[in-house]
Amino acid sequence: MGTLGTALTALHMEFSNELTYAPSMALRHANQAKLENDGMQVLSKEDTETLEQCRSMCKSGLWPPLIVKFDSREGYTVEANAAIKDMTLIAEYTGDVDYIRNRQNDDCDSMMTLLLAADPSKSLVICPDKRGNIARFINGINNHTSVGRKKQNVKCVRYDVKGECRVLLVAIRDIGKGERLYYDYKGYEHEYPTHHFL
């Protein structure tokens, strides 16, 4: 948590392990998984209980074995501080929830799609520019190269959790101690430019 605190302070951010809803942005009732175009996978009862247990563990001070490090070429990165097994929940992507239409010209480089509604005016995005957690510092791959694609060891998945959209980052293979975590920023819309990523 110390390394995360340093990174958050450097970016003038507050720690938040929750989706946050500011009055000037999207309100919580806008986050309805039933609005997802073509539907959204429902997180099973057992997996929802696991998610809640992980959140409770974090509240009590038990965190995943992750460290935030600064790299002169990649910026802030996240490394495994111990071995992480395939299919392990790494983190929930958190931050302020806003309508995508309000963020068309936003310069935040870490926004995450939360809801792709059939009605585009109801689509939502997570904006970790003021508040967020360690997920904000996990880097993306350059998915235009085979080298970039081989680095991917985390997958971003969106679920319906008790009627609300949530974004979870999950290990897609065993991750060794000291290995950096990477996922594909273009997992949904294929619009985010990644050709300049290392």
Side-chain angles (χ1 to χ4, degrees), residues 132-149:
N133 63 9
I134 201 159
R136 157 73 173 82
F137 300 103
I138 298 176
N139 286 342
I141 61 165
N142 180 337
N143 53 16
H144 296 277
T145 68
S146 59
V147 173
R149 289 189 296 273

Side-chain angles (χ1 to χ4, degrees), residues 26 95-103 110-115 123-127 189:
D96 292 329
V97 177
D98 202 358
Y99 291 101
I100 289 177
R101 66 175 185 259
N102 294 342
R103 299 293 179 137
S110 298
M111 287 188 288
M112 172 67 70
T113 301
L114 179 63
L115 169 65
S123 292
L124 301 174
V125 67
I126 302 169
C127 310
E189 299 96 324

Side-chain angles (χ1 to χ4, degrees), residues 63-83:
W63 295 90
L66 304 170
I67 336 174
V68 180
K69 289 191 172 180
F70 185 79
D71 180 278
S72 60
R73 294 177 68 211
E74 294 187 45
Y76 286 102
T77 63
V78 176
E79 288 184 8
N81 197 32

